[in-house]
Amino acid sequence: MYSKVELSSPASYQDQLKALHYNQVMKYGNMIECSGQGEWSITEDGLGFTYTSLKEEIDQAFKNIEYVLNSAGASWKNVYKANSYHVNFKNTTDLMTTMFPKLHRKYMGEDNAPIWTCVGVTALGDKGMNVEVQVTAIFD
Protein backbone atom coordinates (compact mmCIF):
# COMPACT_ATOMS: atom_id res chain seq x y z
CA MET A 1 0.00 0.00 0.00
CA TYR A 2 1.30 3.46 -0.88
CA SER A 3 1.69 6.24 1.65
CA LYS A 4 0.40 9.74 1.19
CA VAL A 5 2.79 12.23 -0.42
CA GLU A 6 3.46 15.27 1.76
CA LEU A 7 4.90 18.45 0.23
CA SER A 8 6.38 21.14 2.46
CA SER A 9 8.83 24.02 2.72
CA PRO A 10 10.62 25.42 5.79
CA ALA A 11 9.40 28.78 7.08
CA SER A 12 12.28 30.72 5.49
CA TYR A 13 11.23 29.45 2.05
CA GLN A 14 7.62 30.66 2.18
CA ASP A 15 8.25 33.72 -0.04
CA GLN A 16 9.88 31.48 -2.63
CA LEU A 17 6.94 29.06 -2.40
CA LYS A 18 4.50 31.90 -3.06
CA ALA A 19 6.53 33.48 -5.87
CA LEU A 20 7.67 30.35 -7.74
CA HIS A 21 5.00 27.87 -6.63
CA TYR A 22 7.16 24.90 -5.70
CA ASN A 23 8.03 23.16 -2.43
CA GLN A 24 11.41 22.17 -1.05
CA VAL A 25 10.53 18.73 0.34
CA MET A 26 8.54 15.74 -0.83
CA LYS A 27 8.01 13.14 1.87
CA TYR A 28 6.70 9.75 0.76
CA GLY A 29 6.59 7.14 3.48
CA ASN A 30 10.12 6.97 4.86
CA MET A 31 11.69 8.68 1.81
CA ILE A 32 12.43 12.38 1.41
CA GLU A 33 13.30 14.14 -1.85
CA CYS A 34 14.74 17.64 -1.50
CA SER A 35 14.48 20.25 -4.19
CA GLY A 36 17.82 21.44 -5.53
CA GLN A 37 19.63 23.78 -3.16
CA GLY A 38 22.04 26.51 -4.17
CA GLU A 39 24.22 29.19 -2.66
CA TRP A 40 21.54 31.39 -1.12
CA SER A 41 21.64 32.34 2.55
CA ILE A 42 18.60 31.50 4.63
CA THR A 43 17.63 34.36 6.93
CA GLU A 44 14.54 35.48 8.80
CA ASP A 45 13.91 37.83 5.86
CA GLY A 46 13.97 35.00 3.34
CA LEU A 47 16.71 34.14 0.89
CA GLY A 48 19.80 36.20 0.07
CA PHE A 49 22.56 35.74 -2.50
CA THR A 50 25.82 36.92 -0.96
CA TYR A 51 28.58 34.45 -1.79
CA THR A 52 31.40 35.37 -4.12
CA SER A 53 33.54 32.23 -4.38
CA LEU A 54 32.59 28.85 -5.76
CA LYS A 55 33.90 27.19 -2.59
CA GLU A 56 31.52 29.32 -0.47
CA GLU A 57 28.62 28.54 -2.80
CA ILE A 58 29.17 24.79 -2.54
CA ASP A 59 29.50 24.95 1.24
CA GLN A 60 26.30 27.01 1.52
CA ALA A 61 24.37 24.59 -0.73
CA PHE A 62 25.28 21.77 1.68
CA LYS A 63 24.16 23.88 4.66
CA ASN A 64 20.87 24.61 2.90
CA ILE A 65 20.30 20.90 2.30
CA GLU A 66 20.90 20.25 5.98
CA TYR A 67 18.32 22.93 6.86
CA VAL A 68 15.71 21.50 4.47
CA LEU A 69 16.33 17.92 5.60
CA ASN A 70 16.02 18.94 9.26
CA SER A 71 12.70 20.64 8.53
CA ALA A 72 11.39 17.24 7.39
CA GLY A 73 12.76 15.27 10.34
CA ALA A 74 15.85 13.90 8.58
CA SER A 75 19.55 14.75 8.34
CA TRP A 76 22.53 14.24 6.07
CA LYS A 77 23.10 10.90 7.82
CA ASN A 78 19.91 9.69 6.06
CA VAL A 79 21.05 10.70 2.56
CA TYR A 80 21.73 7.85 0.16
CA LYS A 81 21.65 9.71 -3.18
CA ALA A 82 23.05 13.08 -4.26
CA ASN A 83 22.87 14.83 -7.62
CA SER A 84 24.91 17.94 -8.28
CA TYR A 85 24.63 20.31 -11.22
CA HIS A 86 27.54 22.60 -12.13
CA VAL A 87 27.85 25.57 -14.47
CA ASN A 88 31.23 25.82 -16.22
CA PHE A 89 32.12 22.33 -15.04
CA LYS A 90 35.14 22.00 -17.33
CA ASN A 91 36.95 24.82 -15.52
CA THR A 92 35.92 23.77 -12.00
CA THR A 93 36.26 19.98 -12.09
CA ASP A 94 39.20 19.87 -9.66
CA LEU A 95 37.38 21.89 -7.00
CA MET A 96 34.17 19.90 -7.43
CA THR A 97 35.76 16.49 -7.20
CA THR A 98 37.86 17.36 -4.15
CA MET A 99 35.30 19.42 -2.22
CA PHE A 100 32.22 17.24 -2.62
CA PRO A 101 33.75 14.09 -1.08
CA LYS A 102 35.06 16.17 1.84
CA LEU A 103 31.61 17.65 2.44
CA HIS A 104 29.95 14.25 2.11
CA ARG A 105 32.26 12.98 4.88
CA LYS A 106 31.74 16.10 7.01
CA TYR A 107 27.95 15.93 6.91
CA MET A 108 27.34 12.17 6.59
CA GLY A 109 30.27 10.64 8.41
CA GLU A 110 32.92 8.29 7.15
CA ASP A 111 30.61 5.26 6.99
CA ASN A 112 27.84 6.73 4.84
CA ALA A 113 28.85 7.21 1.20
CA PRO A 114 25.90 8.09 -1.06
CA ILE A 115 25.56 7.41 -4.74
CA TRP A 116 26.45 10.65 -6.53
CA THR A 117 25.76 11.94 -10.01
CA CYS A 118 27.72 15.05 -11.01
CA VAL A 119 26.50 16.86 -14.13
CA GLY A 120 27.79 19.89 -16.03
CA VAL A 121 25.04 22.26 -17.22
CA THR A 122 24.92 25.54 -19.13
CA ALA A 123 22.71 27.37 -16.62
CA LEU A 124 20.74 26.96 -13.38
CA GLY A 125 17.57 28.54 -11.98
CA ASP A 126 19.16 31.86 -10.99
CA LYS A 127 21.64 33.81 -13.14
CA GLY A 128 24.27 33.88 -10.39
CA MET A 129 24.10 30.20 -9.48
CA ASN A 130 27.10 28.02 -10.23
CA VAL A 131 26.09 24.88 -8.33
CA GLU A 132 22.89 23.17 -7.25
CA VAL A 133 22.63 20.03 -5.13
CA GLN A 134 19.62 17.74 -4.83
CA VAL A 135 19.38 14.79 -2.40
CA THR A 136 17.21 11.82 -1.53
CA ALA A 137 17.08 10.47 2.02
CA ILE A 138 15.56 7.46 3.71
CA PHE A 139 14.88 7.43 7.43
CA ASP A 140 13.27 5.15 10.01
Side-chain angles (χ1 to χ4, degrees):
M1 182 167 181
Y2 294 105
S3 300
K4 180 182 162 193
V5 172
E6 298 173 38
L7 298 170
S8 64
S9 290
S12 295
Y13 283 85
Q14 293 305 304
D15 289 343
Q16 188 176 20
L17 172 60
K18 289 175 189 168
L20 300 175
H21 198 66
Y22 75 95
N23 276 288
Q24 299 299 314
V25 178
M26 180 192 76
K27 199 172 188 181
Y28 182 76
N30 67 338
M31 184 181 79
I32 293 174
E33 286 276 348
C34 291
S35 183
Q37 299 296 306
E39 81 280 5
W40 49 82
S41 300
I42 302 167
T43 67
E44 290 180 12
D45 297 327
L47 306 179
F49 297 86
T50 59
Y51 297 94
T52 56
S53 78
L54 183 59
K55 186 177 184 302
E56 287 179 313
E57 289 182 35
I58 294 168
D59 191 51
Q60 187 62 43
F62 272 70
K63 289 176 185 174
N64 291 347
I65 289 169
E66 181 175 51
Y67 175 73
V68 171
L69 285 168
N70 290 168
S71 78
S75 74
W76 268 105
K77 302 254 185 233
N78 304 111
V79 171
Y80 75 93
K81 178 182 176 187
N83 294 333
S84 58
Y85 307 93
H86 310 271
V87 175
N88 201 12
F89 187 73
K90 183 179 178 183
N91 295 328
T92 59
T93 303
D94 290 342
L95 178 61
M96 302 299 180
T97 56
T98 57
M99 194 166 175
F100 269 71
K102 287 178 185 176
L103 288 169
H104 285 162
R105 286 182 178 96
K106 173 183 173 182
Y107 284 96
M108 295 184 216
E110 197 62 43
D111 295 333
N112 185 18
I115 60 173
W116 175 33
T117 300
C118 184
V119 180
V121 297
T122 57
L124 293 165
D126 184 79
K127 288 183 210 175
M129 287 178 68
N130 293 297
V131 65
E132 187 167 353
V133 182
Q134 178 186 22
V135 300
T136 303
I138 293 184
F139 63 101
D140 296 324

